[in-house]
Amino acid sequence: MKKISFLLILLSTLMLGACYDTASTGDRGTIDKEVRLKGDKTRYGLACDGCSDSVIVFLPNEGGDPIKFDIVTAKRNGKVYGNPEIGDELAILPNPIDPYEAEMVIDLEQMKGTWTFQVVPKLKPNPTKTEEEIMAEMSDSMKAALFIPREYGFTLKSYNQASPVGYVMKANTLEDESPVEYPKVTVYTGWHIYNGWLYIYKDTIDEQGKRIPKDSIGFDAGSMRFLSADSMAALFGKKVMQYHRKASAMEANRKAQEAAVKAAAKDTIKK
């Protein structure tokens, strides 16, 4: 009887552990063979000692011995994105004919971080005046106070998580009465590499606060064009988006936030 009880407890513990591992892997969205997107031929792993300008020694996430990938052709075609170093997480798209030749290499470690591009506000539609008339009536100091650039973009994090960049906290309600408006910030929540493409997934909650069905979540898909320590470029649709690295999302719009607070202080004094 004691043996049976012990076996039941052991079995329950193993099942609980298996469930925990499955749940934690699913929540984190780690890049490995268990959560690879359907149809993705990319291999994920780490750069090992022995990498050179012509070869990458690669330890696959799914285990096994390190693999040597020839990257000469990929380099010649400009498809080695980033500067792989030992220990960096990599995404390698193998040549379908030669599994030991890489068609593309992406340094995922270097891809992580905050990437932004600059936007400026536009005048709100006016039923009685044209844009030219409104601009002619504005003083240079008013233009400088209104047309403050902001940084938009995203932060790519570990475990395929992402967050938006671009929000500036309103200093007061007078901002709603401003003659200019900024583009809407796109809310990103996740990202993946898929056959060499960068997929950035949009918010999973709609404007009513309801959960969006998994198969209806929007995304932006970009074909990689460039990646370095401080710059990244990808082709989204017909437009090549060029990004610059920022220290953090908060730092990206620090100046814009300070300007908003300064403008609010002036409005308060006027009252």
Side-chain angles (χ1 to χ4, degrees):
M1 185 69 180
K2 288 183 178 179
K3 287 185 178 179
I4 294 174
S5 299
F6 175 76
L7 288 173
L8 287 173
I9 293 171
L10 180 61
L11 182 59
S12 299
T13 303
L14 291 173
M15 290 178 66
L16 180 61
C19 290
Y20 174 79
D21 289 341
T22 302
S24 61
T25 302
D27 290 343
R28 293 180 303 171
T30 52
I31 299 178
D32 60 30
K33 63 179 181 179
E34 294 178 354
V35 296
R36 180 178 294 167
L37 299 179
K38 186 177 181 180
D40 186 15
K41 302 297 191 298
T42 312
R43 299 198 67 176
Y44 302 98
L46 302 177
C48 300
D49 188 19
C51 293
S52 67
D53 289 340
S54 59
V55 170
I56 281 183
V57 182
F58 177 83
L59 182 64
N61 279 358
E62 60 266 28
D65 295 330
I67 303 168
K68 283 188 177 181
F69 279 102
D70 183 338
I71 62 169
V72 173
T73 302
K75 275 220 165 190
R76 188 185 304 126
N77 293 335
K79 290 191 175 183
V80 175
Y81 300 108
N83 304 293
E85 297 181 358
I86 297 172
D88 282 1
E89 186 179 2
L90 305 179
I92 293 183
L93 190 63
N95 184 331
I97 299 174
D98 182 356
Y100 296 104
E101 180 183 53
E103 281 192 348
M104 184 185 298
V105 179
I106 302 175
D107 191 329
L108 299 180
E109 207 67 41
Q110 203 163 56
M111 183 174 278
K112 294 172 189 174
T114 297
W115 299 97
T116 68
F117 60 96
Q118 201 170 81
V119 300
V120 293
K122 294 183 179 180
L123 286 169
K124 293 178 180 176
N126 189 302
T128 60
K129 297 180 180 179
T130 65
E131 289 188 9
E132 290 76 13
E133 290 173 333
I134 296 172
M135 293 297 290
E137 293 174 358
M138 283 188 188
S139 64
D140 290 340
S141 60
M142 183 177 289
K143 290 175 184 177
L146 289 174
F147 293 92
I148 299 172
R150 290 184 183 177
E151 299 289 335
Y152 278 23
F154 42 80
T155 299
L156 303 181
K157 308 175 186 179
S158 298
Y159 307 124
N160 299 106
Q161 296 180 351
S163 58
V165 175
Y167 287 109
V168 172
M169 297 296 292
K170 290 184 179 181
N172 59 21
T173 56
L174 291 178
E175 186 173 329
D176 294 331
E177 300 172 11
S178 172
V180 301
E181 59 185 355
Y182 289 87
K184 186 178 179 181
V185 176
T186 302
V187 178
Y188 293 109
T189 59
W191 67 288
H192 258 291
I193 294 298
Y194 183 80
N195 290 330
W197 286 63
L198 171 61
Y199 278 66
I200 317 175
Y201 296 95
K202 298 181 181 179
D203 201 354
T204 56
I205 304 294
D206 64 19
E207 294 180 355
Q208 286 73 43
K210 296 181 180 179
R211 179 72 62 181
I212 299 172
K214 203 167 186 179
D215 58 355
S216 300
I217 294 173
F219 60 85
D220 289 326
S223 173
M224 292 300 298
R225 289 295 182 268
F226 182 78
L227 177 64
S228 69
D230 57 6
S231 300
M232 180 170 69
L235 177 64
F236 289 91
K238 296 182 179 180
K239 184 176 182 181
V240 174
M241 295 295 299
Q242 299 186 23
Y243 302 94
H244 300 284
R245 189 186 294 278
K246 295 292 181 180
S248 67
M250 291 183 65
E251 179 64 23
N253 277 313
R254 180 177 56 82
K255 291 182 179 180
Q257 189 69 63
E258 289 173 354
V261 172
K262 189 176 180 180
K266 288 182 179 180
D267 290 333
T268 303
I269 293 171
K270 287 178 183 178
K271 289 181 180 179

